[in-house]
Amino acid sequence: MKNKILLIGLLALTTGWYSCSGDDTPSGGGEPSDIVKQVSISASITYQTIEGFSASDCWSGNYVGRDWDTSAREGIARLLFSQTIQSGTPQGIGLSMWRFNLGGGSAEQGAASDIEDKARRAECFLNADGTLDWTRQAGQQFFLRKAKEYGCSQFVMFSNTPPVYYTYNGKGYSNLGSRSNLKGDCYDLFADYMTNVAAHFRQEGIPFTYISPVNEPQYNWDSPSQEGTAFQNTEISKLVKSLDASLKAKGEGARILLGEAGDWEYLYKSKSDAGRSNQIEAFFDPASANYIGNLTSLEPAISGHSYWTDGSWSTLYSVRKQVATAAVARGLKLHQTEWSMLGDGYSSPYPGHEQASFMDIALHMSKVIYHDLTAAQVSSWSYWTSMDVERWGHKNRFLLINLVPQDGPYGDIAKSGTYNATKTLWTLGNYSLFVRPGYQRIDLSVANPSESFFGSAYLSPSKDKLVMVYTNLTDKKIGVEASLNGLNKKVGTIKRYETSETKDLTEETLDSERYSLSPKSVTTIVYELK
């Protein structure tokens, strides 16, 4: 049975994109629009199942969760994790996954860590004598507990560096260039430490879904700006084998999530240092000397960061199609585990960092999310810093929630201050609040597509909700005429949630199947199906 339904918005092709002007003639009835587009949604053509949308607690989370006033930290947790919509106003963005930084101990070292900005130092549960102090990382533990209370269901523990007691230089950053700072006789110790932390939190009622033992191993991390270390593929293989053995020996159920590549290209081709790239083949080709694909604790997946490959539409698409092809060939899922707007020289319509509004930056983020979901077909998508201080005019390029300590943005992060939600937070919420774990992406195609309008659609496991997220980069109001195929369901309530210059995920209940998509907006349409 085929239902003919009118929607408003524009949805992009999921299998590719070809630039085209494609402005259609406006049609009468419903809400007025400048342009009308034809969209086909096919529920019988399915893609990846979504595990979650996420952000990390680096670096400020420990200070905010421990030192800030109760009302401030509770308010920040609500913005990140609440799924409540009160009188048409979402209280938060309902993150369904949360990334916990397993710190290396530079915070305990203080100035001796060489990391000047204390907000970039991280605590560690491990003491020099091998005992564990569970009072450490108290602020991060606060956000772990709040995430759990609000219904966040997946947790990822990731490591930027081994504990300083296990590193060659006794620091959280490295001076070994492309080699790992983890001492050769400490691989098993580091593996046991990660397993013990996971086991502790499982007993506390917060089980980690994944342990991610290395982060951006392609970089040397030789500057004392934050914790980090390089890893060669051979060293990663050795560490993952140790971690797999430790997890099995201790009966800990967390899965190993491999990768955290500095950008997508390191996963599928030789780039820069060959010993730190082409990681899909290095780890999952049985003929490789570094093969670990047969380890029982290793998730059949690999993760990467969306940095540096997001400057233009063609690069966004082509890089992600290539990594998806390489992953599929080895039977792997992909996870996008970190992105913020690091690069320069972004193509039009982005106006450049100085001229960009907070909404311009959020619109670009939506473009990245779209390509990661549709071209790379990632199972999860994660932003970098959930909260941070806005400095040097970077606006909301690197954060979801802007923190202003008591002494101002350049003041002491430990002194409680004020905070505000940015457009990146609400735009991520257009996805995270509505595309829940277990939802499956379904096919979308649009006649006369262009780079200025795109979107994706998702179906709930019980097939009672259809969610569509549209991005309109133009300065015109868009209407859509869409056909919905393959559901055999009737449409009940229809709600629209818009993020734009004047709205923050604002809810409207629609009384017609004809409605509009505002200029320069990200809009979610939720259909109740019965």
Side-chain angles (χ1 to χ4, degrees):
M1 177 179 179
K2 178 178 178 181
N3 295 318
K4 182 72 175 180
I5 303 174
L6 294 179
L7 308 176
I8 299 296
L10 178 82
L11 304 173
L13 287 169
T14 56
T15 55
W17 198 287
Y18 305 91
S19 181
C20 177
S21 58
D23 287 358
D24 300 330
T25 304
S27 64
E31 296 179 340
S33 58
D34 299 318
I35 303 169
V36 173
K37 295 289 185 175
Q38 305 293 323
V39 172
S40 177
I41 304 169
S42 300
S44 59
I45 303 175
T46 59
Y47 301 97
Q48 78 273 28
T49 298
I50 301 300
E51 292 189 27
F53 289 87
S54 180
S56 83
D57 60 10
C58 274
W59 298 93
S60 301
N62 197 45
Y63 295 93
V64 173
R66 182 190 64 197
D67 301 325
W68 281 42
D69 293 341
T70 300
S71 61
R73 56 183 181 159
E74 289 283 352
I76 290 169
R78 182 168 56 251
L79 284 171
L80 292 170
F81 304 118
S82 176
Q83 301 176 51
T84 300
I85 300 173
Q86 191 174 68
S87 301
T89 302
Q91 302 300 291
I93 65 168
L95 292 178
S96 49
M97 183 179 280
W98 185 242
R99 286 171 58 80
F100 175 86
N101 174 31
L102 185 66
S106 56
E108 286 80 19
Q109 293 178 320
S113 70
D114 300 333
I115 298 174
E116 183 176 353
D117 185 355
K118 80 173 188 179
R120 295 298 183 264
R121 303 171 192 161
E123 294 180 351
C124 182
F125 297 117
L126 188 67
N127 293 313
D129 62 2
T131 59
L132 298 169
D133 183 352
W134 299 116
T135 67
R136 304 261 178 84
Q137 300 192 239
Q140 292 172 254
Q141 292 191 61
F142 167 82
F143 284 109
L144 272 179
R145 292 191 296 271
K146 297 308 293 187
K148 179 73 173 179
E149 288 176 21
Y150 277 109
C152 182
S153 58
Q154 302 215 46
F155 300 90
V156 181
M157 180 171 68
F158 70 100
S159 170
N160 291 306
T161 179
V164 294
Y165 310 112
Y166 297 159
T167 63
Y168 281 107
N169 64 353
K171 305 289 185 180
Y173 68 96
S174 178
N175 56 8
L176 291 181
S178 66
R179 309 300 300 188
S180 173
N181 199 24
L182 175 61
K183 290 191 289 188
D185 60 353
C186 290
Y187 278 72
D188 289 345
L189 290 172
F190 183 33
D192 283 343
Y193 173 62
M194 290 186 282
T195 299
N196 290 336
V197 174
H200 167 80
F201 281 104
R202 185 176 297 277
Q203 292 172 356
E204 295 289 307
I206 304 175
F208 280 98
T209 311
Y210 297 119
I211 298 175
S212 178
V214 300
N215 180 69
E216 295 186 341
Q218 294 81 18
Y219 305 140
N220 292 343
W221 300 109
D222 51 5
S223 171
S225 58
Q226 67 172 72
E227 295 185 344
T229 178
F231 275 93
Q232 292 285 316
N233 290 343
T234 53
E235 296 167 325
I236 294 172
S237 177
K238 179 180 177 181
L239 177 59
V240 171
K241 288 175 182 176
S242 290
L243 182 54
D244 173 69
S246 179
L247 291 168
K248 288 190 293 186
K250 296 176 183 294
E252 169 52 41
R255 306 284 292 168
I256 303 170
L257 181 61
L258 192 60
E260 306 271 6
D263 69 49
W264 286 124
E265 291 183 321
Y266 288 114
L267 293 181
Y268 65 86
K269 69 180 185 180
S270 291
K271 177 179 176 179
S272 302
D273 182 350
R276 292 189 281 176
S277 58
N278 201 19
Q279 291 187 309
I280 289 176
E281 293 305 296
F283 299 133
F284 294 97
D285 179 358
S288 169
N290 296 313
Y291 177 67
I292 47 178
N294 59 343
L295 300 180
T296 57
S297 300
L298 182 64
E299 183 74 2
I302 198 160
S303 65
H305 298 172
S306 261
Y307 297 127
W308 315 119
T309 59
D310 59 336
S312 69
W313 188 275
S314 60
T315 300
L316 277 163
Y317 177 75
S318 63
V319 166
R320 286 152 184 78
K321 288 298 291 184
Q322 290 179 79
V323 73
T325 299
V328 168
R330 292 296 177 188
L332 304 176
K333 296 183 295 183
L334 283 174
H335 291 260
Q336 194 292 114
T337 48
E338 191 177 308
W339 181 85
S340 62
M341 203 169 186
L342 284 178
D344 294 303
Y346 292 95
S347 64
S348 180
Y350 186 71
H353 298 328
E354 289 188 7
Q355 293 78 25
S357 68
F358 281 62
M359 190 64 211
D360 288 327
I361 292 167
L363 288 169
H364 182 80
M365 180 184 70
S366 186
K367 186 190 295 187
V368 176
I369 296 174
Y370 166 77
H371 280 91
D372 284 335
L373 288 168
T374 61
Q377 298 195 50
V378 300
S379 296
S380 71
W381 197 93
S382 299
Y383 195 79
W384 173 220
T385 53
S386 57
M387 65 195 86
D388 206 350
V389 177
E390 180 191 327
R391 296 172 176 169
W392 305 294
H394 65 53
K395 302 172 185 172
N396 56 325
R397 287 168 56 200
F398 309 131
L399 51 86
L400 299 177
I401 297 173
N402 177 23
L403 305 173
V404 184
Q406 179 180 312
D407 300 328
Y410 297 91
D412 186 351
I413 187 63
K415 292 184 178 180
S416 183
T418 60
Y419 64 93
N420 62 80
T422 70
K423 294 295 181 180
T424 44
L425 178 96
W426 296 118
T427 296
L428 179 56
N430 278 100
Y431 296 88
S432 59
L433 188 57
F434 307 103
V435 184
R436 305 303 300 172
Y439 277 53
Q440 190 167 32
R441 188 170 68 87
I442 61 175
D443 194 59
L444 296 170
S445 61
V446 59
N448 298 323
S450 76
E451 297 176 8
S452 299
F453 306 92
F454 48 91
S456 50
Y458 309 85
L459 190 60
S460 66
S462 57
K463 296 182 172 53
D464 61 347
K465 286 186 180 179
L466 174 64
V467 175
M468 294 153 286
V469 186
Y470 318 144
T471 301
N472 177 6
L473 297 179
T474 77
D475 58 3
K476 295 182 178 180
K477 186 175 287 188
I478 301 296
V480 166
E481 294 183 353
S483 58
L484 178 62
N485 307 293
L487 272 176
N488 297 323
K489 296 269 189 173
K490 293 182 179 180
V491 175
T493 304
I494 306 173
K495 292 189 176 182
R496 173 173 58 193
Y497 300 86
E498 178 184 310
T499 302
S500 61
E501 202 68 55
T502 58
K503 295 181 178 181
D504 293 329
L505 211 59
T506 304
E507 179 189 82
E508 297 174 79
T509 299
L510 302 174
D511 57 8
S512 170
E513 293 176 359
R514 302 182 65 108
Y515 42 89
S516 60
L517 174 62
S518 295
K520 294 186 176 180
S521 67
V522 180
T523 304
T524 303
I525 302 294
V526 179
Y527 275 46
E528 299 285 348
L529 303 174
K530 55 186 180 179

